[in-house]
Amino acid sequence: MKLEVDHVVVNLSSRRIVDEVSLTVTPGEIVGLIGPNGSGKSTLLRAIYRMLRPAAGLVQLGGDDVWQLSARESARRTGVVVQETPSDFEFTVAEVVQMGRTPHKGMLAQDTQQDAQIVVAALQRVQMDGFAERQFSTLSGGEKQRVLVARALAQQPQFLVLDEPTNHLDIHYQLEILELVRSLAITTLVTLHDLNLAAAYCQRLYLLRAGQIVASGAPEQVLTPKLLREVFLVDVVLGRHPATGTLQLAFLPLLHHPEENR
């Protein structure tokens, strides 16, 4: 399912946070949204998954304006994993993942055997099936993140929005989650702070600074020393991963601020 974002503007408290952003994610593609803290990444995602209505512009999923869809239809199409999730759910892990089935059920419909099987399969895919009866609130940050990914999988969405899905995860589970996302072949828009992970798992990247897209393209086109110096205020040495051949970045502290050389 194709995502099209056309000149979207988002204002918060009279401040423009997202400024005329346009991007596309084609069916089955994993696209990364990168940028420094405060660049507007999470705010843009909220406009895409219907948490913040844009002041201007259009968000289309499968050719339909997402803001014209019903909440149920939107939830059927889009699975979301975000950073800001309450940690005091009074639910078991299985019950949290079961919530992902809600868009597929009528208001008073009971859970079916198929629903139960989908929940079990989702927990198995993130290696959390052994935690099904644990209280969600007792989990570590990384464990909670994996459960929330399982909840999104239980929705069986056609489009995934992932806001820092590797946050709080050990490197083993960072790779597990991103390998899982890649294996799903679902249209995916993901924010990542780790630029090496972005280079390894995203087919294309959009670089956001101060609410505007300043570069887009394949990782090799976006993760250049010049752009990273200007946007992230770091120097970088580029190489290739010895096993996978993907772009690999080694960072150095910036000795001279780029503005000093203007």
Side-chain angles (χ1 to χ4, degrees), residues 46-91:
R46 292 187 189 106
I48 290 171
Y49 64 80
R50 289 169 42 103
M51 286 297 290
L52 280 175
R53 185 179 288 273
L58 183 64
V59 179
Q60 291 184 301
L61 187 60
D64 296 318
D65 182 346
V66 299
W67 287 95
Q68 298 300 317
L69 298 175
S70 68
R72 181 178 295 275
E73 177 59 26
S74 178
R76 285 175 177 164
R77 297 189 189 191
T78 303
V80 181
V81 178
V82 298
Q83 298 179 65
E84 302 85 0
T85 301
S87 60
D88 56 351
F89 282 154
E90 293 301 323
F91 299 105

Side-chain angles (χ1 to χ4, degrees), residues 8-254:
V8 162
V9 172
V10 181
N11 299 322
L12 294 176
S13 301
S14 75
R15 286 186 58 230
R16 180 159 294 190
I17 307 299
V18 175
D19 188 9
E20 296 278 344
V21 166
S22 297
L23 60 81
T24 61
V25 187
T26 59
E29 188 179 30
I30 301 177
V31 169
L33 189 62
I34 61 173
N37 291 337
S39 59
K41 301 186 299 297
S42 294
T43 300
L44 176 59
L45 291 189
R46 292 187 189 106
I48 290 171
Y49 64 80
R50 289 169 42 103
M51 286 297 290
L52 280 175
R53 185 179 288 273
L58 183 64
V59 179
Q60 291 184 301
L61 187 60
D64 296 318
D65 182 346
V66 299
W67 287 95
Q68 298 300 317
L69 298 175
S70 68
R72 181 178 295 275
E73 177 59 26
S74 178
R76 285 175 177 164
R77 297 189 189 191
T78 303
V80 181
V81 178
V82 298
Q83 298 179 65
E84 302 85 0
T85 301
S87 60
D88 56 351
F89 282 154
E90 293 301 323
F91 299 105
T92 66
V93 165
E95 288 170 337
V96 171
V97 179
Q98 183 72 43
M99 295 174 189
R101 300 302 303 152
T102 302
H104 300 278
K105 305 167 73 66
M107 185 175 297
L108 300 177
Q110 299 295 310
D111 295 337
T112 66
Q113 184 63 32
Q114 182 184 25
D115 292 325
Q117 291 171 349
I118 290 170
V119 168
V120 170
L123 283 169
Q124 288 174 339
R125 296 205 74 170
V126 299
Q127 299 183 24
M128 288 294 290
D129 46 311
F131 292 72
E133 299 308 315
R134 280 272 301 272
Q135 291 292 308
F136 181 81
S137 61
T138 67
L139 303 181
S140 70
E143 289 166 345
K144 289 174 181 173
Q145 193 77 341
R146 288 156 61 197
V147 171
L148 296 175
V149 171
R151 182 179 65 178
L153 296 181
Q155 284 180 243
Q156 299 181 314
Q158 297 169 284
F159 172 52
L160 277 177
V161 176
L162 306 174
D163 193 2
E164 288 296 329
T166 58
N167 200 25
H168 305 303
L169 296 183
D170 295 335
I171 184 62
H172 168 74
Y173 289 114
Q174 291 182 24
L175 298 177
E176 285 279 344
I177 290 296
L178 292 175
E179 287 288 343
L180 170 60
V181 170
R182 181 155 61 185
S183 73
L184 296 173
I186 295 174
T187 309
T188 301
L189 180 62
V190 55
T191 65
L192 290 165
H193 272 118
D194 189 321
L195 300 183
N196 278 305
L197 290 178
Y201 287 95
C202 299
Q203 284 110 329
R204 290 189 300 114
L205 300 173
Y206 286 90
L207 176 56
L208 201 62
R209 176 176 61 180
Q212 295 183 321
I213 300 294
V214 295
S216 64
E220 289 80 1
Q221 297 172 301
V222 176
L223 300 175
T224 66
K226 182 177 184 295
L227 276 171
L228 295 177
R229 182 179 174 89
E230 291 177 353
V231 176
F232 289 96
L233 303 182
V234 293
D235 281 322
V236 62
V237 177
L238 300 180
R240 292 286 171 181
H241 192 287
T244 66
T246 57
L247 185 67
Q248 194 168 43
L249 300 86
F251 299 102
L252 299 166
L254 190 64

